[in-house]
Amino acid sequence: QVYKMEDFKVCVESLHTTKVKEINYEGEETYQEKPSLSKRLSELAQRVDFTDEEDYGKEEEVKGPPAKKPTRRWPWEFCHSKIKQALTEVSVLTDVLHILQDHRQYITLDSVYNPNGPSVPIAFQYNVKKKAVGIAASILRKGAEPLLKSSSKGDHEFHKAIHDLRRRWRLRRTMMGVLGDLSYHSAGSLYTQSVQFEVHKGTEESDDILSVIVPQELRGQSEIVVFLSDSPVREVGSLESILPSCIKELHKKHSQLSPWEQKLVSAQNVLFNEELFAQLAKEAFDQKSDLQGEVLTDRINIPLNRTTWLSVLLMREYEGMHEKKELPVVNDLPEPNWELSVAFKQLLRTNHQYVAAARPPRPSNASSNESPQLRSAGSSAMSTTDLKQFEHDFSLYNKLVKMAKHLDNEKKVRHWLKELCSVSVEPHLKCISTPSLS
């Protein structure tokens, strides 16, 4: 029979060109790096025997490849290399036996398989496998313990609460933890103060899932109270004593929220009132008029006319403050004008909406910050007073004073009509009450 070798494909692989430098306990082999050109040259130079000068200059009589002579640096070099190799093998064997004796978890010896040898009982094999599985299970159990702690029920609730909190508040993750923003910058506020709060996981002592840390100056309650009176308001008393029932009901609704949401809502309310009061105080201080008002830390008194004063108070009750001021006499305390207070807050919200609202240009290729009236101002030769009509008035002082004067005049007209009705009698009633001459 003749076999054709053309159908068989032989794969030839080159051997490792580098030597094994070290084998660690995990069985990984570390190879020596390839020598550089300089090292290779030095190795070849060491093999040259410069003492053998007899063969130089002689012609070779025998044709063919020259026989290679072993190069020896000294006579016992061959014997020395063999003894050194045997010593290395014995040292390796000694280290392996030492590891087997003291550190059996790293290496074990298997007996040589003998098919004709005595058979191992099944019970013994079962015990050996059971012990091996137990060791593997203990290792897996130790690795699973930190995973179980990190994926507990409390962590799931914490991340869910963070997800719900992010829907209503601006949060960002930093190296120190989770930080949130309490300012109204995203709503169009131009207030420079930027206030942040920290979000932490609730402690085991309290049942809260989240723990929110708010700056100390924003803790507690705050309210803007506006008075229309005959004289400047100096003392009011506690905030709870003058709040109307509608605002108290609103505070009760806030108490139904979670503890961390209550802190954030009250802190943002304090920040909004501080922004509103700071802008009004700045505008009132820059005003130049005949009737100058007074601007203090927590109150602004503005004279509307010779007999009426507009008082704007920023009332604060800090968290944990139990001491309350003595209430003044009820007859001396004017009634707060809550309609004017709500309208005053709405003025600031209107400014926020104007800044945050996106106004598309018309036409589309025009600048986004100019209105059609402003673009036609140059060709129409408009004056400065005409241009001011198209600008948005961000001033709160003038608008508040205008609303206060309107309410004051309305109050005076209503009072005058009541006095007129009490003094005068309607004509038909007068005719009936007068006796006739007949």
Side-chain angles (χ1 to χ4, degrees), residues 76-229:
W76 296 96
E77 182 180 2
F78 180 76
C79 183
H80 175 268
S81 61
K82 293 296 183 181
I83 295 174
K84 188 177 180 179
Q85 185 179 0
L87 178 62
T88 303
E89 293 177 357
V90 172
S91 300
V92 171
L93 181 59
T94 305
D95 293 340
V96 171
L97 294 176
H98 178 69
I99 294 173
L100 284 171
Q101 182 180 1
D102 299 336
H103 307 282
R104 294 186 177 181
Q105 65 270 23
Y106 296 117
I107 189 172
T108 57
L109 291 179
D110 293 336
S111 58
V112 180
Y113 177 71
N114 186 10
N116 299 326
S119 61
V120 181
I122 299 177
F124 180 76
Q125 295 179 4
Y126 176 76
N127 290 332
V128 171
K129 292 181 180 179
K130 182 179 179 182
K131 185 178 179 181
V133 172
I135 295 173
S138 62
I139 296 174
L140 294 176
R141 193 181 300 110
K142 288 181 181 179
E145 285 179 358
L147 296 177
L148 291 174
K149 292 180 180 179
S150 62
S151 62
S152 59
K153 183 179 180 181
D155 289 343
H156 288 300
E157 294 179 354
F158 172 72
H159 292 300
K160 184 179 179 181
I162 287 287
H163 183 267
D164 295 339
L165 191 66
R166 195 170 185 176
R167 295 179 178 178
R168 295 182 291 272
W169 304 91
R170 298 174 62 191
L171 301 179
R172 62 187 180 92
R173 188 176 183 85
T174 60
M175 296 293 293
M176 303 302 294
V178 181
L179 297 179
D181 189 13
L182 284 171
S183 63
Y184 285 88
H185 292 165
S186 60
S189 174
L190 302 177
Y191 196 45
T192 56
Q193 183 179 1
S194 179
V195 183
Q196 295 180 345
F197 63 92
E198 300 178 4
V199 182
H200 299 281
K201 188 177 180 180
T203 59
E204 296 180 357
E205 299 176 357
S206 61
D207 297 335
D208 299 338
I209 304 173
L210 292 180
S211 176
V212 177
I213 300 178
V214 180
Q216 185 68 30
E217 61 272 12
L218 296 181
R219 298 179 183 178
Q221 296 181 359
S222 174
E223 193 62 44
I224 294 288
V225 186
V226 181
F227 293 92
L228 284 175
S229 58

Side-chain angles (χ1 to χ4, degrees), residues 169 182-184 263-273:
W169 304 91
L182 284 171
S183 63
Y184 285 88
K263 288 184 180 180
L264 296 179
V265 169
S266 60
Q268 198 171 40
N269 183 38
V270 171
L271 183 63
F272 181 82
N273 293 332

Side-chain angles (χ1 to χ4, degrees), residues 232-234 274 276-289 291-303 309-314 344 397 400-401:
V233 178
R234 305 296 180 184
E274 287 184 357
L276 182 60
F277 188 82
Q279 185 173 349
L280 182 64
K282 181 180 180 301
E283 295 178 5
F285 186 79
D286 297 338
Q287 289 294 325
K288 296 180 180 179
S289 60
L291 300 175
Q292 290 290 338
E294 56 180 4
V295 180
L296 302 178
T297 306
D298 57 347
R299 65 176 61 88
I300 301 173
N301 294 320
I302 304 171
W309 285 77
L310 173 65
S311 300
V312 181
L313 277 70
L314 175 62
F344 182 37
Y397 181 87
L400 179 63
V401 169

Side-chain angles (χ1 to χ4, degrees), residues 1 10 65 88 175 189 226 230 273 299 319 335 340 347 367 372 389 399 406 415 419 421 425 433:
Q1 295 180 358
V10 180
T88 303
M175 296 293 293
S189 174
V226 181
D230 300 336
N273 293 332
R299 65 176 61 88
E319 185 178 359
E335 185 179 357
L340 194 57
L347 292 177
S367 176
Q389 297 178 1
K399 297 177 182 178
H406 175 76
H415 180 68
E419 289 184 353
C421 292
V425 182
S433 60

